[in-house]
Amino acid sequence: MNVERRTVLKGLALSSLAGIAVTSSCLSMAGSVLGAQAQPVLPTLVLVNNEVAESVFLQGVNASPGGKQVKVQRTDLSLDFILGFEKRLRSGQPQRIIGLVDDASAALIVDLARSAGARVQWLGQHRATPHASQHRLLSAEAASGCAPQLGLSLNACGSGFSLTEQRMHSLQAPLQASATARNRDSSDQWAATLGYTLAALGTTSDRQAPLIARRPVPLTGNFVSFSIEA
Amino acid sequence: MTEQNNKTLLPRGVDSANFEQAIAKFRKLLGDDNVLVKDDQLIPYAKIMMAVDNAEHTPSAAVTATTVEQVQGVVKICNEHKIPVWTISTGRNFGYGSAAPGQRGQIILDLKKMNKILHVDPELCTALVEPGVTYQQLYDYIQEHNLPLMLSFSAPSAIAGPLGNTMDRGVGYTPYGEHFLMQCGMEVVLANGDVYRTGMGGVKGDNAWQVFKWGYGPTLDGMFTQANYGICTKMGFWLMPKPPVFKPFEIKFENESDIAEIVEFIRPLRIAQVIPNSVVIAGVLWEASTCNTRRSDYTSEPGATPDAILKQIQKDKNLGAWNVYAALYGTKEQVDVNWNIVTGALKQLGKGRIVTQEEAGDTQPFKYRAQLMSGVPNLQEFGLYNWRGGGGSMWFAPVSQARGSECDKQQALAKKTLNKHGLDYVGEFIVGWRDMHHVIDVLYDRTNPEETQRANACFAELLDVFEKEGYAVYRVNTAFQERVAQSYGPVKRKLEHAIKRALDPNNILAPGKSGIDLANSF
């Protein structure tokens, strides 16, 4: 089934009003497709910076269909990393690159993707505190449904968040959703759910993003997420 | 107003039928793979760092050309259908607008695939390159061919390119740091499709295009920089011979109030070419950011970072409040003589702690600064974007005389204005021969709408308060081009628009660039 943007939004509002008690992340919409249509599974590289590598983001990635086969690489600002990444983008091998990194690394990664002629389905800026997270997303048709799904899931888990999604070339007003925190243990959930959402983009999703137990040091600060197809 | 129908974002003043016809012609000319209209192809062009909505800088399409003839073809189609086209070379103008078009709906002409190094002459020390050539590519070429040459580039060195940086009048950190000064010969596709070569480039059989700038009659190279009168498809420039000895050094100064004395100390050494390179005087937060320091390491309080924390960072990271980076170049004898002059002048000044390369070792930020001053690419300065985080960055770059009193005044004015808006002064001065480029990175969090609005208001106020004191910026991001053009007065603008009308009557080349747009009333 296709995820209807407005339907999901409506659902989100209703869920919020109803104050649903949550026992799972609710990301599973059996048989649903995250993204406009199911795509063949491509070899996937996950880029993370040092902070993210220690976070639950990768748990979310691993829980996705095909999540066990991904390759994970840490980013930095060295020329070695950048030149290696550029070489990979230009290798001619079809591949997906998803990630959650710091702003400096993201500025480089996204621009190298542009110059290599890669497609970017999702570009997100995120800010997380121990109490809430903010998500500012720019997405393509290929990622339709992912942002509402992220919001729906965070809401279901009781995470405090605000989310804005702008769609390239869309006449619709940007999607805006927010909820106050109802579950103090869910401060890290955004990273796991985001990891799951990005990894599952373009696949038939019948699993769930893992519910994350409260961690002593949640992932906080500013980050950028992306989904790139080369 | 940007046109928009139910399906497609359209350029200003262009209807759907004309746009579709133009796209079809682009496909025929360039091939399907070089005409990008899908949203996931255009998102990477839409990543902006300015404090405005992405939508204001969203392209309707992007096309890539590989030859001058194709560029001429693109211009022809744009004229036929009145399509405004925003040209980029490598598109790495971070802080000044990145790869996004100046106005919503403009199509992008991306010249990244025109990336041939056409010629490097190791004896005359010249180069001729296409728009997509990066500094890293040129550096690799010089290394592979073991040429005794040195590059000068801006801080995003590896991934930026000499043609684009020079066309935007960017600066570097070597003795050849004023890049437009070192440019020699341009090839430009005009709006009517003619291919114009500046300097000696029009002379049949000439081989002096890259060695003699002026040619005969009016010299027009400068007219094409920071402008929308043509599309530069080749550029020549001079390379510095690699010196036998390179001696970088840093001088750390303890107090923010030292800036006036630092400038008075540096200026005579710079004008006399004792110190020949574009010296940098970097503030503490610029330095801290480039050695992996984040604001969140010290505080989670909103607003400007208190001075007490700045002092703590200075202490923790072994930085100065101001950090001067310079280098000496030449034979051992030349460097020894100049070193004695520099250290003697510093002794007379009576303050400042000098650090040599031997003392600094591989520590940052010294290492990357030394690399920039010796033409070795690196990306260390991207650390600036992690200081506050959130992806917002707008470079505010006023110029001034190289006088201590001027720099003192500018720094105080900038810091006061930024702090008033809850933002930090993250700045450096780059010392030209007689001028100062005061570069301030207005960093803010784009995930926070309120902070984004504040950053926009702050940038506007910086322009206003500096203008009242007789200052203006030499370069600005695309969201503020029109505003900055106003600072330079109506006569200049009338002339610029008269030239635009003569050269590009259909207003197809980057309307709005530097405030030049025939939709204006000039």
Side-chain angles (χ1 to χ4, degrees), chain B residues 504-518:
Chain B
D504 180 15
N506 288 329
N507 201 27
I508 57 161
L509 300 182
K513 176 77 180 171
S514 296
I516 306 165
D517 183 345
L518 294 186

Side-chain angles (χ1 to χ4, degrees), chain A residues 140-161:
Chain A
E141 181 67 21
S144 70
C146 292
Q149 193 82 290
L150 176 65
L152 184 62
S153 181
L154 292 177
N155 182 59
C157 297
S159 301
F161 74 97

Side-chain angles (χ1 to χ4, degrees), chain A residues 103 111 114 120 125 141 166, chain B residues 39-40 53 90 92 390 445:
Chain A
D103 286 285
D111 215 63
R114 175 184 61 76
V120 178
Q125 290 183 244
E141 181 67 21
Q166 204 162 31
Chain B
D39 53 4
D40 56 358
D53 198 324
T90 63
R92 268 66 184 264
D445 183 355

Side-chain angles (χ1 to χ4, degrees), chain B residues 266-281:
Chain B
I266 292 286
R267 187 188 54 244
L269 298 171
R270 179 78 178 95
I271 289 183
Q273 295 284 292
V274 172
I275 297 176
N277 73 314
S278 302
V279 175
V280 171
I281 309 169

